[in-house]
Amino acid sequence: MFGAMAAPRLVLAAEETVEVGTTSNFAILAGETVTNTGSTEIYGDVGLYAGSAFPGAPDVTLHGEMHLSDSVALIAKDDLVTAYNDLAGRTPQLINRELGGQTLLPGVYVSATKDFQLTGKLTLDGQGDPNAIFIFQTDTTLITASASSVELIGDATKCG
């Protein structure tokens, strides 16, 4: 008698690459206003189009360039809309509004409240893939607390 047993395999589909165009250098890219409260360090460019209000900007240490209602911000915003339209068709995973204290794997995420907040540390685990993609869809805001952070592990890398 001959017998064979096949172990089940778990196959995870990787997220397709998102064409982000000129947005890859931006840490923050917004439409109307960027508000900062307290001492903040930003690594990457800050862009705003069509608005130009940046309350709290003097308290920011910026490791990048500022683009307020200029042609660079306009092109980046157009690229952002293109990327958004691509992402709108993807199926997100529902997660908690509070990102702090979580370790997330590559994927598309949304909260039931359609916004996010970060107090503490969010860990993004690329699982050995330096091209891993993490997408957070929000209808309104991302609120970050003082001393909050995002840690990249498992070969995850920032855009750009």
Side-chain angles (χ1 to χ4, degrees):
M1 178 179 206
F2 177 77
M5 180 187 293
R9 282 187 4 192
L10 177 62
V11 178
L12 299 175
E15 288 294 328
E16 291 182 34
T17 300
V18 178
E19 291 301 321
V20 296
T22 60
T23 67
S24 65
N25 292 327
F26 285 84
I28 298 172
L29 186 56
E32 293 298 323
T33 303
V34 174
T35 302
N36 176 63
T37 56
S39 179
T40 302
E41 204 161 353
I42 299 173
Y43 291 86
D45 294 350
V46 173
L48 193 55
Y49 195 90
S52 61
F54 191 172
D59 293 328
V60 172
T61 300
L62 181 61
H63 303 276
E65 297 181 18
M66 184 81 66
H67 297 282
L68 302 181
S69 288
D70 65 9
S71 62
V72 173
L74 172 60
I75 292 167
K77 185 174 179 188
D78 288 346
D79 289 348
L80 181 63
V81 169
T82 299
Y84 177 85
N85 289 337
D86 172 11
L87 296 170
R90 299 185 186 198
T91 304
Q93 298 175 49
L94 185 63
I95 61 171
N96 293 329
R97 175 181 187 247
E98 171 55 52
L99 297 171
Q102 294 193 65
T103 298
L104 299 176
L105 304 179
V108 181
Y109 299 97
V110 66
S111 76
T113 59
K114 305 294 184 192
D115 66 343
F116 288 106
Q117 68 181 25
L118 176 58
T119 57
K121 180 173 72 173
L122 167 62
T123 303
L124 302 178
D125 184 350
Q127 296 188 308
D129 181 1
N131 298 309
I133 296 174
F134 301 86
I135 300 162
F136 298 88
Q137 294 179 339
T138 175
D139 289 346
T140 57
T141 57
L142 166 64
I143 300 169
T144 59
S146 298
S148 59
S149 64
V150 177
E151 180 182 16
L152 303 174
I153 64 170
D155 291 333
T157 59
K158 70 175 188 68
C159 290

